[in-house]
Amino acid sequence: MVDVLVCQQGDLKDGDVRIVAKGELEVGIYRHAGKYFAYQNRCFHQGGPVCEGVIIPKVEDVLAPDRTLLGQRFNEDEMHIVCPWHGYEYKLETGECAADKKLKLRRYEVIERDGGVYVAL
Ligand code: FES
């Protein structure tokens, strides 16, 4: 494994993503709620560049006591990465596919050292 420099500490703000490459491998490094998350830039569906997608809050149904649908709302406690090709959604903090928990983006370690942010590839 090699630590690849992503940026200097403080360069990425919450909500930012940066994609780094090593050979054929691309990894998206996210900053969210003061933490870093890094995933392989490859969607389980058809291999799309998932880390180039938008980040949105989870969409939840709002139900009445009789279970009829009243509408929908955003849940800011769970942010999702949305694949730009066909819309598969992955939980930003775990890489787990929102529709199928068996599918999980490959995760990489992010290291903060000597003023830099590195990803171990
Ligand atoms: S390739 Fe990502 S949703 Fe199809």
Side-chain angles (χ1 to χ4, degrees), residues 11-109:
D11 285 353
L12 285 184
K13 308 294 181 218
D14 274 359
D16 287 347
V17 60
R18 186 156 301 172
I19 294 174
V20 299
K22 180 183 161 211
E24 298 284 305
L25 175 64
E26 289 187 356
V27 174
I29 297 89
Y30 293 86
R31 174 114 181 156
H32 172 68
K35 298 181 204 155
Y36 292 100
F37 304 91
Y39 301 108
Q40 185 173 7
N41 188 21
R42 182 173 172 78
C43 180
F44 273 98
H45 181 222
Q46 291 183 355
V50 62
C51 298
E52 295 174 26
V54 296
I55 301 169
I56 64 166
K58 176 183 180 184
V59 177
E60 295 179 336
D61 290 339
V62 179
L63 302 175
D66 68 356
R67 310 281 302 157
T68 56
L69 183 65
L70 299 175
Q72 292 185 313
R73 67 178 169 223
F74 287 120
N75 178 350
E76 305 267 346
D77 292 335
E78 185 179 311
M79 300 303 287
H80 288 181
I81 305 163
V82 183
C83 180
W85 281 10
H86 314 99
Y88 269 40
E89 294 186 24
Y90 298 89
K91 297 178 185 180
L92 177 55
E93 294 196 23
T94 64
E96 185 179 281
C97 182
D100 185 347
K101 297 178 192 303
K102 294 189 299 286
L103 304 178
K104 218 169 181 182
L105 297 174
R106 181 165 179 194
R107 190 169 187 159
Y108 292 85
E109 183 184 6

